[in-house]
Amino acid sequence: MNYDGSTDIVLFKSNGINIFIASKRFAVAGEWELFEKFGIDVNSQKVVAIKCGYLSDEFKSMASESYFALTNGFTNQNLEQINYTRLTRPIYPLDDITSFIPEPRIIKKP
């Protein structure tokens, strides 16, 4: 287990749902012992949802299905939501450029 104890973690239970809340961000990948310390057998759960930037190999091996949800955050992958301020438009894939006709321009004279 890589968890060093520097983050406070609590388990909140409501209507049959277990929710872990941490005081600071930390890597959840490979930390199954944390679930066990709170008396939760991950393999017996119908659904396990983890807010994580990726699905680690360990999580993939346990999941019959996995879903990736785009959320705002440090690495927002929903490109349409990013406010580009130094980008010449239109540009693919952000804009529909099916009818775009580029204007020729000289970049560097010989």
Side-chain angles (χ1 to χ4, degrees), residues 3 15 18 25 29 36-37 40-41 45 58 63 72-75 87 90-92 94-95 110:
Y3 177 69
N15 297 321
N18 299 314
R25 163 193 331 203
E36 293 168 1
K37 283 187 176 194
I40 296 174
D41 175 15
Q45 304 301 305
E58 188 171 7
N72 294 335
F74 190 67
T75 56
L87 189 62
I91 190 167
Y92 179 82
L94 301 177
D95 301 308

Side-chain angles (χ1 to χ4, degrees), residues 39-89:
I40 296 174
D41 175 15
V42 177
N43 293 309
S44 69
Q45 304 301 305
K46 291 181 181 178
V47 175
V48 175
I50 300 171
K51 185 183 182 312
C52 188
Y54 58 92
L55 192 60
S56 70
D57 290 339
E58 188 171 7
F59 290 133
K60 285 180 187 176
S61 69
M62 298 181 76
S64 60
E65 295 180 51
S66 64
Y67 301 92
F68 187 76
L70 295 175
T71 60
N72 294 335
F74 190 67
T75 56
N76 187 352
Q77 295 182 15
N78 189 346
L79 301 178
E80 291 81 16
Q81 290 183 346
I82 300 172
N83 183 22
Y84 296 96
T85 58
R86 299 180 184 173
L87 189 62
T88 304
R89 302 298 280 269

Side-chain angles (χ1 to χ4, degrees), residues 89-90 96-105:
R89 302 298 280 269
D96 179 17
I97 61 170
T98 55
S99 62
F100 175 67
I101 301 172
E103 293 182 23
R105 58 185 172 152

Side-chain angles (χ1 to χ4, degrees), residues 1-40:
M1 182 165 84
N2 297 321
Y3 177 69
D4 63 5
S6 64
T7 302
D8 295 325
I9 301 171
V10 297
L11 173 61
F12 178 76
K13 295 183 176 195
S14 177
N15 297 321
I17 299 172
N18 299 314
I19 303 168
F20 284 97
I21 301 171
S23 62
K24 290 189 271 182
R25 163 193 331 203
F26 74 97
V28 179
E31 300 296 338
W32 295 115
E33 292 89 350
L34 285 175
F35 292 94
E36 293 168 1
K37 283 187 176 194
F38 284 91
I40 296 174

